[in-house]
Amino acid sequence: MSAVPRAGGLRAAVLPGAVAGVAGGLVFGAAMAMLGTLPTVASIVRADSPYTGFAVHLVIAVVLGIGFAALVSRQRARAGELLFWGLAYGAFWWFLGPQTLLPLLRGLPVAWDLAGARALVPSLIGHLCYGTAVALVLVLLSGSRDRVRSGLRPTVLLRGAAAGLLAGSVVGGLGVMAGASPGPLPLAGLPLGLGYPLLFSAEREGAGPAIVRGAAYGFLCWIAAELTLPPLLRDGVLDWSHTAAAAAAGRLPGYILLGALTSALFTLLGALAAGLFTDDVRLARTEAPGARGLRATGHGILAGLAGGLVFTGVMVAAGALPTVARLVGGQSAAVGLLVHLVIAQIVGVSYAVLFRRRGFDLASGLGWGVSYGFVWWVLGGLTLLPVLLGGEPRWSAAGMAAAFPRWWATWRTGRRSAWSTTRWRPARTRGGSRGTRRRRRGWPPGRSRPSAPPRPCGPSPRSWR
């Protein structure tokens, strides 16, 4: 179900977008008042009063809220998808607003350097909270509330609790291996698992999109549990500074993996329950078992090879091939190149299998590929690679900074794999399966397209009144 009614297009999106923009603006505005940044916003209209800055901020928030509602009004975005796109929308406007437009309006150069980005970390967190609030209000204003109620079913909550507890145990163990205190990570699995079906659809979905959305969910939990609630409860202030973010950065990979693993386990348990206890002939396969998986595997091998070749240039420039060769006991760059290409094909195959029939076009495929590349950077470059080499996970600000070139290359690999798998798929299947296309158009699976009702004979319906 669409989060914003599609009927009426832009006009139907104005009112819910404005209401959502006001709600998001109030959340972000309260944070800006505590951080003391409202006079900076007031400087847009050549003023320095915080009240003027708050008024200008609310006007901007309403306009951006309407813009977001208009963007999603033509998409059948579910609650979880809307939350994901709200985060992306907030990050986009952080770059376009405080880093670009605001300095230009104040007669200053753009803040595109590392020092400027560090100074604007509080603004980034505020924009992410704004996008999240706008998305949640749009969900509440739409018919997606029944999906929230479906997440309150005891069986769904039990599945979420089990997934969160198991994920918390695994990630907590990795945190201990990282040489850092896991903090609230093991215990955070239970509330995170219980909250997942409330924000995301409790219906069946693909494992790939669930992993990406779970990673975004874990990032939000990191902001709430590490940067927001502790200083608020302890001192009554917000501390979204670069210093506080750097101090809590060591637990960010843990939260991302916790969210991704919770969503993957939640989806797996749901698929097992559906396979064991669902008796619906509409779910019967019309293909030979494994046929679609074999095609996806073939596409993934080729896509992973293409992405790995793109990745090779960065690996050579960073001098990382000998390090990769140590995974099989080698030291030369040639051995590292072979191991690297094998790993790239594994990533490509996993993407093709997990995201098959999810990239409806090139744009959506690239979006999933970029997000999946980020998840693999956290799982591979920061966690698995140092552990397999006999070290500890690089869950620290210094470790993430050292692995940043590998993140850029992994991002390009995911983007290339997504482009390749989308391009090689036949055009008639890029819109999903036949049943998926029928559901998107409002037809139940297994039935033909409804024909127009027959015209009544005799007097017109108006004459019957």
Side-chain angles (χ1 to χ4, degrees), residues 99-382:
Q99 283 195 296
T100 307
L101 295 180
L102 182 59
L104 292 178
L105 292 175
R106 299 176 62 194
L108 301 174
V110 295
W112 288 356
D113 54 348
L114 182 59
R118 286 179 175 177
L120 291 173
V121 167
S123 179
L124 171 61
I125 299 175
H127 277 82
L128 295 176
C129 293
Y130 168 81
T132 303
V134 170
L136 291 178
V137 172
L138 284 178
V139 170
L140 294 177
L141 294 177
S142 68
S144 296
R145 285 171 292 184
D146 57 345
R147 298 184 182 274
V148 177
R149 288 193 293 268
S150 69
L152 293 174
R153 297 197 305 266
T155 55
V156 176
L157 290 177
L158 180 61
R159 186 176 12 137
L165 287 174
L166 182 57
S169 301
V170 173
V171 176
L174 290 176
V176 173
M177 292 178 60
S181 172
L185 279 178
L187 298 178
L190 179 59
L192 191 143
L194 292 174
Y196 181 83
L198 300 179
L199 292 178
F200 297 85
S201 174
E203 298 179 355
R204 295 181 62 187
E205 62 176 349
I211 291 174
V212 171
R213 294 167 192 155
Y217 181 49
F219 179 74
L220 282 178
C221 293
W222 174 75
I223 293 178
E226 297 293 337
L227 299 181
T228 305
L229 293 180
L232 274 179
L233 297 177
R234 183 179 62 248
D235 304 321
V237 297
L238 280 179
D239 189 6
W240 288 351
S241 63
H242 168 259
T243 303
R251 289 182 289 275
L252 174 59
Y255 276 96
I256 292 177
L257 292 180
L258 178 61
L261 186 56
T262 298
S263 62
L265 292 174
F266 182 84
T267 304
L268 176 62
L269 293 175
L272 290 176
L276 293 175
F277 304 111
T278 299
D279 186 15
D280 193 343
V281 297
R282 294 177 298 179
L283 299 179
R285 296 184 181 271
T286 58
E287 272 187 296
R292 289 184 296 178
L294 289 176
R295 285 199 300 268
T297 300
H299 294 166
I301 291 175
L302 296 177
L305 181 61
L309 292 176
V310 175
F311 196 167
T312 302
V314 180
M315 297 285 286
V316 172
L321 289 179
T323 303
V324 177
R326 291 169 52 196
L327 291 173
V328 294
Q331 295 181 350
S332 66
V335 175
L337 177 61
L338 292 177
V339 176
H340 157 68
L341 291 179
V342 171
I343 295 175
Q345 292 184 48
I346 294 175
V347 176
V349 169
S350 66
Y351 175 85
V353 172
L354 295 177
F355 290 87
R356 61 184 179 188
R357 301 187 185 277
R358 295 293 171 177
F360 301 127
D361 51 27
L362 184 59
S364 61
L366 290 177
W368 290 126
V370 169
S371 304
Y372 191 59
F374 174 76
V375 173
W376 264 105
W377 175 67
V378 177
L379 179 62
L382 298 182

